[in-house]
Amino acid sequence: MSENATETETDLEPSSPEGNFIPAWLAVVVLVLVLAVMGLGGYVIRGAVSGVTKQPDLADEQIVRWRSAVSANPDDLDARVQLGYAYQLA
């Protein structure tokens, strides 16, 4: 009976120490994903904590300006192009 016990114990042991490790590519993938989640989480938390609201910038002012110019003269092609460009910058 003792022979059977020792045979099963040796069968359960790994054949080499390399069998205990995970593949290197899996460790790299997990590390990259953890860092990405932490970075994104920090970015979101920073935005929520700082409470910074978007201030109207130059592009928004240009949109208002060119929108009123197009409303005043709908046939003005230059005003329409400039309005489109202002939308593109925003």
Side-chain angles (χ1 to χ4, degrees):
M1 229 153 136
S2 64
E3 291 177 19
N4 290 338
T6 56
E7 288 176 11
T8 57
E9 288 175 8
T10 56
D11 290 341
L12 296 177
E13 292 178 8
S15 60
S16 68
E18 296 171 356
N20 292 336
F21 297 113
I22 60 170
W25 65 268
L26 183 60
V28 170
V29 168
V30 169
L31 180 65
V32 167
L33 289 176
V34 166
L35 291 175
V37 167
M38 288 176 57
L40 184 62
Y43 180 75
V44 169
I45 290 172
R46 180 195 56 84
V49 170
S50 67
V52 176
T53 59
K54 183 182 176 210
Q55 299 293 326
D57 57 351
L58 182 61
D60 293 334
E61 294 173 9
Q62 292 288 329
I63 290 173
V64 171
R65 175 180 170 212
W66 290 112
R67 194 181 287 167
S68 63
V70 168
S71 296
N73 187 5
D75 295 330
D76 186 7
L77 184 60
D78 184 51
R80 288 182 177 268
V81 170
Q82 292 298 328
L83 177 61
Y85 183 66
Y87 279 134
Q88 186 178 9
L89 291 178

